[in-house]
C-alpha cells in the first residue's frame, strides 16, 4: 500500500464554502480567530489563555498567546515599565503610562495580525485586561479591518478568597516584582493595582456591538453568560471553558504491566500479563493503598492487560473501562515486531519514520487519529478530580503531550517505560510531574520530579 489515507486534523481538513455570517465569514472555510481576554488583574486571564492555547494546539489548531504585559516589559521607551511597574503605573490618571500601555497593546495586535494573516497560526489569544469599551472598540475595529473573527472571554470574579489566593500564590511572583520587594509589599502593591483598574473598568455588554460574541466566566466557573457564539473554534472554546475547574487534584497515568506480547516485542494484540506484569499490578495496588488519594476514580482501557493491571486496586475506587483508552490500532501490523514490519512493509517503516504523528497504519490508526478519539477523555479529565488512567504507550503519549504542552510532532517520541507511574498535579501555569518507577527485581518504588523525556526508538 503506497498511498496513505488523507490527514483529517483540524488544520488539515479542506471544506467547501457554504453559508456566511454577518461578517461575511463562512463557518466552512478557515477564518482566523482572535480570542480577547477581558477582566481585572488576578482574574485568571493568563491562566485561561495558557490553558486554552494548550488545548487548541493539542486539537490541531496553531495557536499562540500574545501577552501585553510582556510587551510592556520590553518597551524601550518606558524605563519603569520594563521592570518593576508599581501600582501608580496603572492609574487612569498616569498619562505617560497610558501611552505606554496603548503602545504595548498596539504592538501585540500587529504581531497577532501578522501571525494570523501570514498563515503561521489560526488562533491568537490576546491576553490583557482590555477593561474599557474604548480599548475593546479599537480591537474590534482592528480585527474587522484585518478580516479576523473576534471572540471575548471576560473573567468576572468578586469572590475575595479566590482573588486573595490568586494574588498570594501567583501574582507576588510576577516579573514586575521579582527581586524588587518582599511578598507582602508585592501583595499590597498588586491590590492597589486592582483598585486602579476598577476605577475605569467597564464590564462587557451586548450593547458594545451587534456582532459582539463573548462568554463571561463568573466566579471561576460557578456560572456563565454566553452571547452569539460563531463558528467551530468559538463553540469549542465555550465547551472547554465550561468543563475546566480550579479544585486541587492529581491525575495518575500508567501503562499496563508487561504483557506477553511486550515480552516478545510484538505490537498491539490483547495478550495477558507476564509474571513481571502481574507483580506490577500488585505493586500498583499497594502504591494506592499508601497514597490514600481521596475519591480516586480508575479509568482503564478495554484490553485484558490493562484490566489485569487494575484488578487488585481497592474496589471502592470506581473503575470504568473506556474503549477510547485502547492502544493505537496498528492495522495490518498488529501482532508483528518492528523487525517484521521492516522486512514485510519497508515502505511503511520509512513513511512512519518520516512523519510518525500523521502516519496511519493501513487499516489502523495514526497518532493524530488517537488524539481525536481522546478528546472526550481529556474533557472528562478536566471535569473530574483525582483519576488514575491505566492504558497504553501511544494513548498515554497523547494524554501526556496535552498536560506537558508538548508540540504534536514530538508526541510520538515521549518515552514511557513499563512499570512506571506518572503523577500530574496542575498548577497555575503548568503541571507538576512526578515519575514513580517500580523495580520488579527488588520490589521497590523510586521517584523523581521531572517530565518524561523523548526517546529515539520505540520500546517494549
Ligand atoms: P493580570 O491581569 O495581572 O495578568 P490575570 O487575570 O491574568 O492577572 P492570572 O495570572 O491568570 O490572572 O491568575 C492566576 C490565578 O487565577 C491562578 O491561581 C488560577 O487558579 C486563577 N484562576 C483561573 N481561572 C480563574 C477564573 N475564571 N476566575 C478567577 N481566578 C481564576
Ligand atoms: O495588570 C496586569 C497586566 O497583565 C499588565 O502586566 C499589563 O501591562 C496589562 O495587564 C495589560 O493590560 P492593559 O491593556 O490594561 O494595559
Amino acid at each position: 500500500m503506497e498511498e496513505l489515507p488523507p490527514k483529517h486534523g483540524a488544520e488539515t481538513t479542506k471544506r467547501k464554502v457554504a453559508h456566511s455570517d454577518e461578517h461575511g465569514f463562512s463557518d466552512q472555510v478557515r477564518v482566523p480567530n482572535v480570542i480577547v481576554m477581558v477582566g481585572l488583574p488576578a482574574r485568571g486571564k493568563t491562566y485561561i489563555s495558557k490553558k486554552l492555547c494548550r488545548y487548541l494546539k493539542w486539537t490541531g489548531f496553531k495557536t499562540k498567546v500574545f501577552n501585553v504585559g510582556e510587551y510592556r516589559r520590553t518597551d524601550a521607551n518606558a524605563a519603569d515599565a520594563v521592570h518593576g511597574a508599581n501600582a501608580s503605573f496603572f492609574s487612569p490618571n498616569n498619562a505617560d503610562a497610558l501611552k505606554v500601555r496603548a503602545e504595548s497593546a498596539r504592538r501585540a495586535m500587529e504581531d497577532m495580525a501578522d501571525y494570523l494573516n501570514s498563515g503561521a497560526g489560526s488562533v491568537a489569544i490576546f491576553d490583557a485586561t482590555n477593561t474599557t469599551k474604548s480599548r475593546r472598540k479599537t480591537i474590534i475595529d482592528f480585527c474587522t479591518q484585518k478580516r479576523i473573527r473576534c471572540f471575548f472571554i471576560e473573567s468576572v470574579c468578586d469572590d475575595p478568597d479566590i482573588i486573595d489566593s490568586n494574588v498570594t500564590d501567583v501574582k507576588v511572583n510576577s516579573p514586575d516584582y521579582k527581586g524588587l520587594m518582599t511578598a507582602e509589599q508585592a501583595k499590597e502593591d498588586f491590590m492597589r493595582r486592582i483598585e486602579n483598574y476598577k476605577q475605569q473598568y467597564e464590564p462587557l455588554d451586548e450593547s458594545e456591538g451587534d456582532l459582539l460574541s463573548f462568554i463571561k466566566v463568573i466566579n471561576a466557573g460557578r456560572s456563565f453568560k454566553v452571547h452569539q457564539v460563531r463558528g467551530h473554534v468559538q463553540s469549542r472554546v465555550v465547551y472547554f471553558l465550561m468543563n475546566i475547574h480550579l479544585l486541587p487534584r492529581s491525575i495518575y497515568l500508567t501503562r499496563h504491566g508487561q504483557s506477553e506480547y511486550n515480552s516478545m516485542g510484538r505490537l498491539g494484540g490483547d495478550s495477558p500479563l507476564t509474571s513481571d506484569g502481574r507483580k506490577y499490578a500488585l505493586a500498583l495496588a499497594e502504591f494506592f493503598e499508601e497514597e490514600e488519594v481521596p475519591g480516586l476514580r480508575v479509568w482503564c482501557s478495554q484490553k485484558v492487560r490493562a484490566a489485569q493491571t487494575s484488578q487488585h486496586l481497592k474496589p471502592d475506587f470506581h473503575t470504568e473501562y473506556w474503549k477510547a483508552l485502547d492502544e493505537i490500532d496498528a492495522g495490518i501490523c498488529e501482532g508483528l515486531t518492528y523487525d517484521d514490519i521492516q522486512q514485510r512493509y519497508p515502505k511503511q517503516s520509512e513513511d512512519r519514520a518520516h512523519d510518525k504523528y500523521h502516519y496511519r497504519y493501513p487499516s489502523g490508526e495514526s497518532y493524530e487519529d488517537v488524539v481525536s478519539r481522546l478528546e472526550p477523555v481529556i474533557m472528562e479529565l478536566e471535569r473530574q478530580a483525582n483519576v488514575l488512567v491505566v492504558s497504553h504507550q501511544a494513548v498515554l503519549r497523547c494524554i501526556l503531550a496535552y498536560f506537558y504542552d508538548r508540540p504534536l510532532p514530538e508526541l510520538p517520541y515521549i518515552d514511557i517505560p513499563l512499570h512506571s507511574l506518572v503523577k500530574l498535579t496542575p498548577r497555575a501555569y503548568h503541571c507538576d510531574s512526578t515519575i514513580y518507577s517500580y523495580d520488579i527485581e527488588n520490589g521497590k518504588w523510586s521517584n523523581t520530579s521531572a517530565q518524561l523525556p523523548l526517546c529515539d526508538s520505540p520500546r517494549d
Side-chain angles (χ1 to χ4, degrees):
M1 177 160 172
E2 297 297 309
E3 283 274 311
L4 292 174
K7 299 165 182 174
H8 77 279
E11 293 280 2
T12 51
T13 310
K14 287 204 179 103
R15 287 179 282 187
K16 289 199 185 111
V17 176
H19 304 295
S20 49
D21 70 10
E22 307 87 316
H23 298 268
F25 294 147
S26 165
D27 264 3
Q28 309 240 320
V29 287
R30 261 190 276 141
V31 178
N33 276 270
V34 166
I35 294 170
V36 183
M37 301 306 303
V38 176
L40 291 169
R43 264 56 182 182
K45 299 181 301 298
T46 299
Y47 172 96
I48 293 171
S49 303
K50 285 179 188 270
K51 195 162 171 133
L52 199 52
C53 182
R54 173 161 64 91
Y55 168 71
L56 290 172
K57 279 194 297 182
W58 185 81
T59 55
F61 292 97
K62 288 184 186 137
T63 307
K64 188 169 167 185
V65 177
F66 295 80
N67 178 291
V68 174
E70 282 168 19
Y71 280 80
R72 165 177 59 78
R73 281 186 281 273
T74 58
D75 191 320
N77 298 319
D80 63 344
V82 175
H83 204 70
N86 65 23
S88 62
F89 182 83
F90 299 96
S91 158
N93 306 318
N94 186 338
D96 290 343
L98 283 172
K99 275 191 214 141
V100 172
R101 288 165 59 191
E103 175 58 13
S104 304
R106 193 197 58 75
R107 283 164 56 217
M109 285 198 294
E110 291 291 349
D111 285 355
M112 269 189 335
D114 286 350
Y115 173 72
L116 296 174
N117 290 339
S118 69
S122 60
V123 183
I125 303 180
F126 188 56
D127 179 15
T129 52
N130 303 319
T131 39
T132 60
K133 286 186 181 175
S134 83
R135 166 70 73 84
R136 294 194 290 269
K137 180 165 181 336
T138 307
I139 297 168
I140 293 169
D141 292 348
F142 181 85
C143 288
T144 308
Q145 193 219 334
K146 303 272 180 187
R147 295 197 56 77
I148 296 168
R149 190 181 258 161
C150 219
F151 184 67
F152 290 87
I153 301 175
E154 180 174 23
S155 175
V156 182
C157 180
D158 58 10
D159 180 329
D161 294 336
I162 298 180
I163 295 163
D164 191 79
S165 81
N166 290 354
V167 175
T168 313
D169 301 342
V170 181
K171 291 294 147 193
V172 300
N173 300 314
S174 152
D176 285 340
Y177 300 130
K178 217 160 197 165
L180 296 173
M181 58 184 90
T182 63
E184 290 73 39
Q185 288 167 329
K187 183 169 177 180
E188 206 182 302
D189 184 79
F190 202 87
M191 290 303 194
R192 277 194 279 123
R193 181 190 294 200
I194 295 175
E195 289 312 311
N196 274 335
Y197 270 97
K198 278 188 184 167
Q199 289 181 45
Q200 46 172 188
Y201 178 30
E202 298 166 295
L204 256 175
D205 76 79
E206 294 90 330
S207 67
E208 283 179 50
D210 293 344
L211 302 179
L212 199 69
S213 299
F214 66 81
I215 178 170
K216 279 180 194 259
V217 180
I218 299 155
N219 285 327
R222 244 168 259 159
S223 56
F224 299 89
K225 174 167 182 179
V226 181
H227 182 69
Q228 283 193 142
V229 172
R230 286 193 178 81
H232 177 63
V233 170
Q234 296 184 8
S235 62
R236 232 174 163 139
V237 166
V238 167
Y239 184 48
F240 182 71
L241 293 177
M242 292 179 104
N243 279 289
I244 61 177
H245 67 78
L246 294 177
L247 300 175
R249 51 82 175 256
S250 291
I251 293 163
Y252 298 84
L253 307 174
T254 184
R255 292 174 65 187
H256 52 81
Q258 187 194 49
S259 69
E260 287 178 1
Y261 261 33
N262 288 148
S263 68
M264 295 184 273
R266 293 181 185 280
L267 304 190
D270 198 11
S271 65
L273 297 183
T274 61
S275 78
D276 280 2
R278 290 195 295 274
K279 285 182 196 159
Y280 180 68
L282 287 167
L284 192 67
E286 272 171 31
F287 178 96
F288 282 100
E289 288 284 335
E290 282 169 27
E291 183 95 342
E292 290 182 358
V293 187
L296 183 72
R297 287 170 164 262
V298 181
W299 296 356
C300 190
S301 88
Q302 294 187 353
K303 296 293 177 190
V304 167
R305 56 197 186 279
Q308 287 183 335
T309 304
S310 63
Q311 72 180 331
H312 304 296
L313 294 162
K314 276 202 301 206
D316 46 334
F317 300 152
H318 179 71
T319 302
E320 283 172 40
Y321 299 90
W322 293 61
K323 177 106 186 87
L325 291 173
D326 283 0
E327 182 55 312
I328 188 170
D329 180 348
I332 60 167
C333 298
E334 280 280 309
L336 302 184
T337 66
Y338 291 109
D339 285 345
D340 294 336
I341 300 172
Q342 177 64 46
Q343 277 168 20
R344 282 194 217 176
Y345 307 112
K347 177 77 169 69
Q348 297 299 328
S349 292
E350 196 187 307
D351 287 349
R352 192 158 204 256
H354 179 66
D355 182 358
K356 196 173 171 192
Y357 181 71
H358 291 111
Y359 169 83
R360 180 181 286 150
Y361 284 106
S363 307
E365 290 178 299
S366 63
Y367 270 91
E368 190 182 37
D369 294 334
V370 178
V371 163
S372 57
R373 79 159 133 100
L374 284 172
E375 209 201 337
V377 175
I378 291 294
M379 202 60 83
E380 198 54 28
L381 277 175
E382 286 293 356
R383 280 168 27 78
Q384 292 291 337
N386 297 310
V387 181
L388 162 64
V389 179
V390 183
S391 180
H392 306 264
Q393 171 149 261
V395 168
L396 294 181
R397 281 178 169 152
C398 297
I399 297 178
L400 268 177
Y402 172 76
F403 287 105
Y404 281 174
D405 197 11
R406 292 271 180 87
L408 298 177
E410 272 185 15
L411 172 163
Y413 297 98
I414 299 175
D415 189 15
I416 312 182
L418 281 171
H419 307 158
S420 48
L421 173 71
V422 185
K423 177 179 179 179
L424 300 170
T425 307
R427 303 287 177 212
Y429 300 151
H430 72 283
C431 255
D432 282 347
S433 165
T434 307
I435 301 154
Y436 296 87
S437 308
Y438 184 67
D439 185 327
I440 300 281
E441 295 308 315
N442 70 17
K444 290 206 167 79
W445 289 95
S446 58
N447 71 73
T448 157
S449 288
Q451 289 197 354
L452 285 167
L454 300 183
C455 59
D456 294 332
S457 57
R459 49 193 287 172
D460 302 316

